[in-house]
Amino acid sequence: MSAQERLADALYGLGWSTVKKLPEPVAVRLGRTVADLAWKRRGKGVRRLESNYARVVPDASPERLAELSRAGMRSYLRYWMESFRLPAWSVARVRSGFDPKGLHHLTDGIASGRGVVLALPHMANWDLAGAWVTTELKTPFTTVAERLKPETLYDRFVAYREGLGMEVLPHTGGTAFGTLARRLREGGLVCLVAERDLSASGVEVDFFGDRMRMPAGPSLLAQQTGALLLPVTLWYDDSPVMQGRVHPPIETPGSGTRAEKTSVMTQALADAFATGIADHPEDWHMLQRLWLADLEPRPSDGDPA
């Protein structure tokens, strides 16, 4: 384990052990202070966030982009402060912490017994939304986590999410898709954060006027199992309550090859995400490269390894 990995593991461990004990107003102020300090330093993540916002709001002035990136960092740190404290929240606090619109799309889907795939972008606090589902709707679900380094940090995230009532599968290893499909065929619920392709073999879509890749998993799962595919977007307002919207279901096309159906469904998912992100760009926490034009050449593209 490198020194950087040990430091990351220690910092996250400190967050879950210490921040969760803070009174909520203190945690809110701490998060805002850390966010503003990070924003003023203008490190790589902040610059990338601002660059991504420039695609979402193409007519924004430099001053407006700076405002957006500052608000984006505050939203991102609100996510972390809430996540560190979520294990200590009461059931009542979790239930009152989220107010989703269009909830009937989800509850009707669960009641149908056909299985439901919820697909979300990296907006606001997806962990809080998940805790609300397991607490308020009393519905367990299965999700997938990126295998982080060091392994101890990945284990922390798995333990944290399992403590909120989620079944967590590793993204790597090749068995996740089959397990997700079984859960859906049993009428279960699957939740996937799904606008960033981690495999480099995703589906190309148009997103805010340029090409990017999104994972094919949500669309393929819906096709293969007959499950309902529901986009979800999240955002914050000035209250302690996170807002959200369950969008109408994305239907499986009646004709075409599996690849053609997957392309159509994934583009529809991207369009739903774009609607939510355009309305609340500051709550989209994308501090990494996303669009194909921004990605560095891969070794397979002829670039030296």
Side-chain angles (χ1 to χ4, degrees):
M1 187 189 305
S2 69
Q4 185 176 2
E5 289 173 346
R6 285 195 299 270
L7 176 62
D9 185 48
L11 288 174
Y12 282 109
L14 181 66
W16 272 302
S17 64
T18 303
V19 174
K20 72 178 181 181
K21 299 175 183 177
L22 297 175
E24 189 160 346
V26 175
V28 169
R29 287 196 299 272
L30 175 62
R32 180 161 291 200
T33 299
V34 173
D36 287 349
L37 287 172
W39 177 78
K40 288 176 183 176
R41 288 185 63 240
R42 290 194 59 79
K44 182 170 65 175
V46 173
R47 296 195 306 272
R48 176 50 53 189
L49 182 67
E50 201 164 291
S51 174
N52 290 338
Y53 286 161
R55 290 182 178 273
V56 175
V57 191
D59 57 347
S61 65
E63 293 77 16
R64 172 60 178 150
L65 287 176
E67 291 174 0
L68 272 177
S69 64
R70 184 176 189 180
M73 289 304 295
R74 287 182 171 184
S75 176
Y76 186 46
L77 264 294
R78 176 173 171 175
Y79 158 74
W80 279 113
M81 292 298 108
E82 288 180 348
S83 294
F84 287 143
R85 299 185 72 257
L86 260 177
W89 280 16
S90 67
V91 170
R93 177 67 181 90
V94 172
R95 287 176 171 173
S96 66
F98 182 38
D99 181 22
K101 316 300 187 291
L103 185 61
H104 65 281
H105 295 303
L106 174 56
T107 54
D108 290 351
I110 293 172
S112 73
R114 62 184 284 193
V116 177
V117 180
L118 290 177
L120 308 87
H122 288 79
M123 292 187 77
N125 191 339
W126 46 96
D127 288 326
L128 172 56
W132 187 90
V133 167
T134 61
T135 302
E136 176 67 16
L137 300 185
K138 297 182 174 60
T139 302
F141 66 86
T142 305
T143 189
V144 174
E146 181 181 358
R147 192 172 278 283
L148 303 170
K149 292 183 179 181
E151 192 74 14
T152 50
L153 180 56
Y154 171 76
D155 292 341
R156 287 187 193 275
F157 271 95
V158 170
Y160 157 63
R161 288 181 171 136
E162 288 180 342
L164 299 176
M166 312 176 192
E167 178 188 22
V168 183
L169 307 175
H171 181 267
T172 55
T175 61
F177 189 91
T179 302
L180 295 173
R182 284 196 298 275
R183 299 291 182 268
L184 292 168
R185 291 190 180 103
E186 294 164 357
L189 177 64
V190 165
C191 300
L192 301 170
V193 181
E195 93 278 33
R196 182 170 170 241
D197 178 45
L198 297 175
S199 68
S201 59
V203 179
E204 282 198 22
V205 295
D206 288 314
F207 197 61
F208 290 104
D210 211 340
R211 303 293 285 175
M212 60 171 261
R213 291 190 189 97
M214 280 178 52
S219 300
L220 286 172
L221 284 166
Q223 285 182 62
Q224 292 193 17
T225 67
L228 202 64
L229 176 56
L230 296 176
V232 178
T233 52
L234 308 171
W235 67 93
Y236 291 125
D237 57 16
D238 294 330
S239 77
V241 180
M242 183 176 71
Q243 306 298 312
R245 183 174 304 282
V246 183
H247 296 255
I250 292 174
E251 302 294 339
T252 300
S255 61
T257 65
R258 185 174 72 168
E260 289 168 345
K261 292 179 181 179
T262 301
S263 178
V264 170
M265 294 173 73
T266 306
Q267 181 63 64
L269 197 58
D271 292 343
F273 289 171
T275 298
I277 292 168
D279 287 342
H280 307 280
E282 67 278 4
D283 292 313
W284 185 43
H285 309 150
M286 184 50 61
L287 281 72
Q288 293 86 25
R289 298 174 188 270
L290 193 68
W291 282 270
L292 299 182
D294 295 336
L295 295 176
E296 296 175 350
R298 302 179 185 277
S300 59
D301 294 335
D303 199 61

